[in-house]
Amino acid sequence: SKSPSPRLSMPVRYFIMKSSNLHNLDISQQKGIWSTTPSNERKLNKAFRESVMVYLIFSVQGSGHFQGFARMSSEIGSEQSQCWGSPGLGGVFKVDWIRKQSIPFWSAQHLLNPWNDNKKVQ
């Protein structure tokens, strides 16, 4: 008998991605790519391998808003991109943008993260 797929253990995962500026989100939407710090890469690649779907919810640091969300559509590779102009980023991976819209944190204040001491999602 075949063992169940590991992708079924956590069918959908969600991550909040903080960007240093709105320009990086524009680049991401135009090119369908994203890059994060090396410390996040292992966590995101593991989620991509073990889940059916990985959603990334984007927020620009200090904005008090979510700016949209995308689906992770590839693992993070070793190739880096010069698009961001930010040192310290890791490899590039593909994302499929679903929606880009500014939503204030207060409109999601009812959402609590059970894996982060039930703190508000922002």
Side-chain angles (χ1 to χ4, degrees):
S1 78
K2 243 180 156 180
S3 62
S5 167
R7 291 176 66 97
L8 298 178
S9 62
M10 283 277 202
V12 180
R13 298 284 308 268
Y14 301 88
F15 293 90
I16 305 289
M17 306 302 293
K18 294 287 188 176
S19 176
S20 59
N21 60 64
L22 197 53
H23 180 68
N24 287 349
L25 296 182
D26 291 335
I27 292 169
S28 176
Q29 198 170 35
Q30 291 167 8
K31 297 185 178 240
I33 59 172
W34 189 250
S35 186
T36 187
T37 60
S39 62
N40 289 333
E41 289 182 346
R42 187 177 60 211
K43 196 181 311 182
L44 286 172
N45 275 340
K46 183 177 189 301
F48 185 79
R49 285 190 301 271
E50 296 178 356
S51 305
V52 173
M53 199 76 59
V54 177
Y55 290 106
L56 307 175
I57 303 162
F58 292 89
S59 176
V60 173
Q61 290 176 346
S63 70
H65 287 74
F66 296 112
Q67 277 74 32
F69 65 102
R71 181 179 62 85
M72 189 175 173
S73 58
S74 77
E75 283 194 60
I76 302 167
S78 58
E79 180 185 339
Q80 295 184 330
S81 174
Q82 302 304 313
C83 293
W84 315 117
S86 302
L89 293 178
V92 172
F93 59 101
K94 293 179 183 177
V95 295
D96 296 322
W97 276 86
I98 298 165
R99 184 155 185 124
K100 186 176 178 194
Q101 182 175 346
S102 184
I103 300 168
F105 288 158
W106 63 261
S107 68
Q109 66 184 356
H110 63 285
L111 299 175
L112 304 177
N113 184 347
W115 294 283
N116 190 18
D117 298 324
N118 282 319
K119 292 180 182 172
K120 292 178 187 174
V121 175
Q122 59 184 44

